[in-house]
Amino acid sequence: MELCPCGSDKPYENCCKPIIEGQNIAQTAEQLMRSRYSAYANHVIDYIAESTHPDKRKDVDLKETKRWSEKSIWQGLEIINTIKGLENDNEGTVEFKVNFSYKGNISQQHEISNFKRLNEKWYFFDSESVPQKQFKRDKPKIKRNDPCPCGSGKKYKKCCGQ
């Protein structure tokens, strides 16, 4: 039994696969988001295009999307927040993080995606990246020749700073 890449802890056969293969339709924006992630992880690029809103399909570069999908190692999807996007809604937003490695570099993509329902079917519409928060140091930086904060009496570079 292969677990679904979307992180639902359900078998792929009973989760995203029936949606990707067209046997079922996504009932919510989040369900569509999860199926799209699974399609990337399983390199089902036609589904990525088909699940994109018809008004936005011209923006999908299938060749580049396929290359990126196949050269990436997909390591997990984390849904952060969902606003609307339920069975009776016509629009919804899903905030998520995707962990993957590409050409050996570990990456995280944090996005907010917008979904629209057209003729009872959910579609990905557009997205925006969530900028990373800048690290802000609470305490002054310890310099190499400062006393080590562990209390050893040694310089930082000769103690914990090694």
Side-chain angles (χ1 to χ4, degrees):
M1 175 183 76
E2 176 190 358
L3 287 180
C4 193
C6 80
S8 67
D9 292 329
K10 296 177 186 174
Y12 178 62
E13 299 283 327
N14 301 333
C15 190
C16 291
K17 186 177 181 182
I19 296 170
I20 292 169
E21 291 184 349
Q23 298 160 0
N24 294 340
I25 63 168
Q27 299 297 309
T28 65
E30 182 177 326
Q31 198 174 37
L32 182 66
M33 175 66 236
R34 289 181 178 280
S35 69
R36 285 174 58 88
Y37 173 81
S38 293
Y40 275 110
N42 289 317
H43 321 301
V44 187
I45 304 311
D46 289 341
Y47 178 74
I48 299 300
E50 293 164 10
S51 62
T52 300
H53 194 279
D55 293 347
K56 300 288 186 167
R57 266 187 212 148
K58 66 185 180 316
D59 299 333
V60 178
D61 181 343
L62 288 176
K63 189 175 179 180
E64 176 58 26
T65 302
K66 181 178 183 186
R67 186 186 66 73
W68 182 59
S69 169
E70 291 175 347
K71 291 190 181 260
S72 297
I73 299 171
W74 301 93
Q75 299 167 336
L77 169 68
E78 176 187 356
I79 303 294
I80 307 294
N81 191 25
T82 301
I83 300 170
K84 294 187 178 181
L86 300 175
E87 292 180 34
N88 295 324
D89 294 322
N90 288 320
E91 293 185 0
T93 302
V94 178
E95 179 180 357
F96 65 94
K97 291 181 182 177
V98 171
N99 295 304
F100 64 97
S101 61
Y102 181 74
K103 294 184 178 180
N105 297 317
I106 297 171
S107 296
Q108 183 178 78
Q109 189 170 333
H110 186 178
E111 288 187 10
I112 297 174
S113 289
N114 298 304
F115 296 85
K116 292 188 177 188
R117 200 160 70 159
L118 179 66
N119 300 324
E120 304 300 315
K121 191 172 178 183
W122 281 104
Y123 293 95
F124 166 76
F125 192 76
D126 63 14
S127 66
E128 61 184 72
S129 293
V130 176
Q132 288 185 334
K133 294 179 182 174
Q134 187 172 357
F135 174 76
K136 186 175 180 182
R137 191 179 309 279
D138 294 335
K139 298 176 183 175
K141 184 176 179 179
I142 302 166
K143 296 179 182 149
R144 292 174 34 85
N145 290 319
D146 288 345
C148 192
C150 77
S152 68
K154 297 179 182 178
K155 290 183 179 183
Y156 180 66
K157 68 181 179 184
K158 296 286 187 179
C159 190
C160 295
Q162 289 187 351

